[in-house]
Every structure is written in C-alpha cells, then in structure tokens.
C-alpha cells in the first residue's frame, strides 16, 4: 500500500527508467546526495572494480544525480554498494562533477549519521554515547564514530583516516600567470597540492572566490603536467584530486587555520574538506609543526564552517612514513527526493554550465 501511494505521488515519467530515491545532507555546507534506492547493480569483485564499472557503464547515474537540472556543478553524490571487506558495514562510491573520488571526508561524516539512523549498522547497546560505522571507501576502510543517544545520531561525527603522508615537499612548478610556485603534495585518501594563497598574490579569507578558483586550478594543471603522482599501493589512487589554498598558518595554534579546496572540474568545497584536513595534518606533522594528539581547527573560507583534525598515531603506507588522522565535524539532513526521467527529455542525463 505504501509503495502504491508513493508511486501515485510521482509525476509522469519513463517507467522503464528506475526512479532514483535520494536523501540529501550537508556537512559544513558541502552537499551530499545519497542514493538509497534505484541505482542499477554495480558489478565488480572489489570496491575499486565497482568504481571502474560505474565509470564505464553507469556514468549516466552520476550525471543525473550531480548535474543540472537536478543538481548543480558543485553537487556531490554517494552510491552505497556492498563491500568485500568483512569488517565493513557498507561500501561507498563518491561522485563529483568530473568523475569518481577516492575519498571524501565530509561524506564519511554524513554517512556515519545516515548509516546509524537508517539501520545499516547494528543498534548500539543501551546507554552507548557513540556508535562505530566502518565505511569502505575507494582509498580503504575508514572508521566513523557517531555521537548517539537512544540509538539515534545526535551530534558531531569523527573518523579515523587511512594512512596519510607527504608525497613531495617543496616541489617547484611553473604555473602560467604566476611563475615558479613552491607547493607540497600530500595524501589524505586523495592527493592534493597545497599552496599558501599569498604566494599567488591572493588572500584566502578576502579574495574573490572566482580568483581563488582560477589560481587553484592553474596550480592543479601545472602539477599534473610537471609531476607524476604515484600511490605506493594502488594505481587507481594515483591522481591529483585538486589544490587547497591556505592562509599559510601551518605552525600549531589554537586559532583556526583557513583554506579553500578546489577539486575535480573546478568544484569548490563549501566545507574545510575532510580528506584535505587529513592531508594537511600529515603535512604539518611531517614538518614538525604539530605533535600527536594536538588538535587543530580548520575553517572553510567559503562558509566559515569548521572541522577539527589531529594525528592519532603513526603508520606506514608503502615506504612512506604516515599518520592516522582523526577528523571531526557536524552533518545535517536537508531533505529527500525522487529523481525521475521522461523519455522525451533531451536533457535527461543533465548538463553543466561553465
């Protein structure tokens, strides 16, 4: 009966095309659209194989979720899939305006709440103040810890990252329009280039977002052209995801340090960027600017939202000295939707404005 009533509420649509049922959230202003029904089966024996399969065979799902007219060029999505890892509660594929991310911290923080509230993990014991949700991301297994009360989420979420490390420190690249620029390449589940905005003649707190986006994109393209990114354990993870411009305040302080992340196809993160915070902590630890268990606050220059990060223990990733980083932030629910398609719609798979 409930299914019939739900179907009756849908507008006219192509019944041969599955309706995508989604739940929307945001973490620090950065959107997340979670598909919880309607996505065709994503084949593959491993999560990375599923990621390749979706890119090759189901990319129209990404475009319908993320692109206009259902989304926008800065929309972000997540498709839940089974994981081959015995300790994982769920697997996830991350979708952006260009393709498929290897890690997304803001999504992990949101998915921790979603998994607990929608019964994807066992209910925590009576009186528990926190529930653990093991999320298999393309970069590896990430443990999220969800504040809860009465078995429901009720506050911030934190996660422990995969091993984070510095791939290249003080790398000089020639950036068109800016000359030679010194950058650092660090990994927090995805690879980022880090540059103080001041080196590009900008202020991450007061410059126009368009100017910051153009400068960060120029750095990204320069690094891609002049430096080979390799991950020590997987070819699938060996790519530069974007550039994070900072205020240059990397030495430990109780005051927040501000940054903006520009990733994929000039997509702007509204949050402080969870995987970026992970990589920044790894970089700061590498330079001796922070110690284990020293908590730093990271502020988004776009929304002012704040995540915290701290290195909780040392680790290795291949031959690289690494750290496990704890990132914490707050996610919120914003709504639900049923995304439909009409068979005569020439824009059924979406479009993007540049």
């Amino acid at each position: 009966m409930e299914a019939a009533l739900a179907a009756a509420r849908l507008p006219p649509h192509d019944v041969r095309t599955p309706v995508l049922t989604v739940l929307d959230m945001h973490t620090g202003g950065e959107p997340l659209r979670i598909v919880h029904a309607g996505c065709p089966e994503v084949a593959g024996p491993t999560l990375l194989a599923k990621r390749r399969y979706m890119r090759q065979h189901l990319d129209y799902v990404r475009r319908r979720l993320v692109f206009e007219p259902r989304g926008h060029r800065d929309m972000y999505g997540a498709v839940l899939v089974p994981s081959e890892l015995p300790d994982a509660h769920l697997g996830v594929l991350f979708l952006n305006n260009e393709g498929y991310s290897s890690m997304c911290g803001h999504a992990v923080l949101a998915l921790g709440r979603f998994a607990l509230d929608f019964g994807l993990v066992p209910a925590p014991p009576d009186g528990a103040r926190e529930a653990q949700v093991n999320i298999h991301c393309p970069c590896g297994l990430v443990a999220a810890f969800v504040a809860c009360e009465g078995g429901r989420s009720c506050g911030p979420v934190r996660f422990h990252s995969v091993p984070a490390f510095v791939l290249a420190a003080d790398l000089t690249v020639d950036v068109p329009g800016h000359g030679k620029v010194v950058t650092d390449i660090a990994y927090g589940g995805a690879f980022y280039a880090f540059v103080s905005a001041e080196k590009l003649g900008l202020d991450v707190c007061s410059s126009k977002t368009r100017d910051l986006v153009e400068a960060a994109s120029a750095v990204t393209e320069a690094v891609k052209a002049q430096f080979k990114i390799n991950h020590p354990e997987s070819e699938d993870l060996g790519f530069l995801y974007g550039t994070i411009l900072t205020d240059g305040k990397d030495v430990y302080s109780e005051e927040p340090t501000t940054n903006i992340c520009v990733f994929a196809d000039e997509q702007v993160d509204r949050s402080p960027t969870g995987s970026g915070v992970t990589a920044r902590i790894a970089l700061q630890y590498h330079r001796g600017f922070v110690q284990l268990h020293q908590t730093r606050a990271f502020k988004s220059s776009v929304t002012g939202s704040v995540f915290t990060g701290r290195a909780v223990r040392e680790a290795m990733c291949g031959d690289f000295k690494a750290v496990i980083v704890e990132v914490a932030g707050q996610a919120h629910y914003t709504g639900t939707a049923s995304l439909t398609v009409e068979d005569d719609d020439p824009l059924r798979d979406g479009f993007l404005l540049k």
Side-chain angles (χ1 to χ4, degrees):
M1 175 64 74
E2 287 184 5
L5 287 173
R9 295 191 192 106
L10 291 174
H13 63 284
D14 181 0
V15 296
R16 297 166 299 179
T17 302
V19 175
L20 294 173
T21 305
V22 302
L23 181 142
D24 284 354
M25 302 182 73
H26 82 89
T27 312
E30 179 69 357
L32 181 68
R33 175 162 286 172
I34 304 166
V35 181
H36 59 90
C39 183
E41 181 182 358
V42 185
T46 67
L47 191 70
L48 287 175
K50 288 180 171 68
R51 181 169 172 261
R52 291 190 293 270
Y53 181 91
M54 186 152 192
R55 180 191 291 120
Q56 294 165 9
H57 302 287
L58 299 174
D59 197 54
Y60 65 88
V61 173
R62 177 186 67 87
R63 298 195 302 272
R64 289 177 188 171
L65 284 169
V66 172
F67 287 9
E68 294 186 54
R70 300 173 188 87
H72 53 84
R73 68 171 298 105
D74 294 309
M75 177 57 78
Y76 202 94
V79 171
L80 306 184
V81 296
S83 167
E84 74 274 15
L85 301 181
D87 293 334
H89 293 115
L90 65 148
V92 60
L93 301 177
F94 300 122
L95 322 177
N96 58 57
N97 70 6
E98 185 179 57
Y100 300 84
S101 316
S102 55
M103 172 58 184
C104 180
H106 93 273
V108 166
L109 296 171
L111 286 168
R113 286 198 69 189
F114 174 81
L116 177 61
D117 292 338
F118 285 79
L120 302 186
V121 295
D126 289 343
R129 304 302 298 273
E130 196 172 59
Q132 182 170 335
V133 180
N134 295 331
I135 302 173
H136 186 188
C137 305
C139 63
L141 190 65
V142 175
F145 303 91
V146 185
C148 62
E149 186 175 338
R152 301 297 296 271
S153 67
C154 66
V157 180
R158 59 192 178 92
F159 70 79
H160 285 182
S161 72
V162 295
F165 61 92
V166 176
L167 181 67
D170 298 323
L171 174 71
T172 299
V173 292
D174 191 3
V175 181
H178 298 280
K180 294 191 180 302
V181 176
V182 177
T183 182
D184 301 303
I185 312 297
Y187 179 80
F191 285 103
Y192 295 97
F194 291 89
V195 182
S196 170
E198 186 179 25
K199 294 180 181 178
L200 302 169
L202 298 169
D203 185 319
V204 76
C205 297
S206 62
S207 293
K208 292 180 179 179
T209 300
R210 184 69 254 168
D211 294 337
L212 294 168
V213 169
E214 289 178 355
S217 298
V219 172
T220 296
E221 294 308 310
V223 173
K224 286 180 177 179
Q226 299 169 44
F227 182 74
K228 175 66 175 173
I229 302 284
N230 286 304
H231 188 279
E233 295 180 351
S234 173
E235 264 185 45
D236 290 82
L237 306 178
F239 64 96
L240 186 70
Y241 190 34
T243 291
I244 296 178
L245 303 182
T246 77
D247 59 7
K249 297 176 181 178
D250 290 321
V251 177
Y252 176 76
S253 169
E254 293 183 358
E255 295 298 315
T257 174
T258 302
N259 56 233
I260 182 173
C261 175
V262 181
F263 65 98
D265 182 9
E266 296 192 343
Q267 193 160 341
V268 180
D269 198 332
R270 274 68 169 159
S271 80
T273 309
S275 55
V277 166
T278 302
R280 270 196 87 184
I281 286 286
L283 181 59
Q284 292 173 4
Y285 187 80
H286 174 83
R287 295 195 185 279
F289 293 157
V290 297
Q291 305 302 313
L292 289 178
H293 304 294
Q294 276 190 318
T295 299
R296 291 214 67 184
F298 297 82
K299 180 189 287 188
S300 162
S301 75
V302 179
T303 62
S305 59
V306 175
F307 289 171
T308 60
R310 65 187 182 119
V312 294
R313 66 179 182 274
E314 294 182 334
M316 295 292 294
C317 187
D319 293 332
F320 290 92
K321 292 182 178 179
V323 285
I324 303 300
V325 177
E326 180 182 279
V327 177
Q330 176 72 63
H332 293 90
Y333 294 105
T334 58
T336 60
S338 297
L339 306 182
T340 60
V341 168
E342 289 194 275
D343 58 4
D344 63 345
D345 184 355
L347 301 176
R348 59 187 290 143
D349 291 339
F351 62 93
L352 284 184
L353 292 181
K354 289 288 287 185

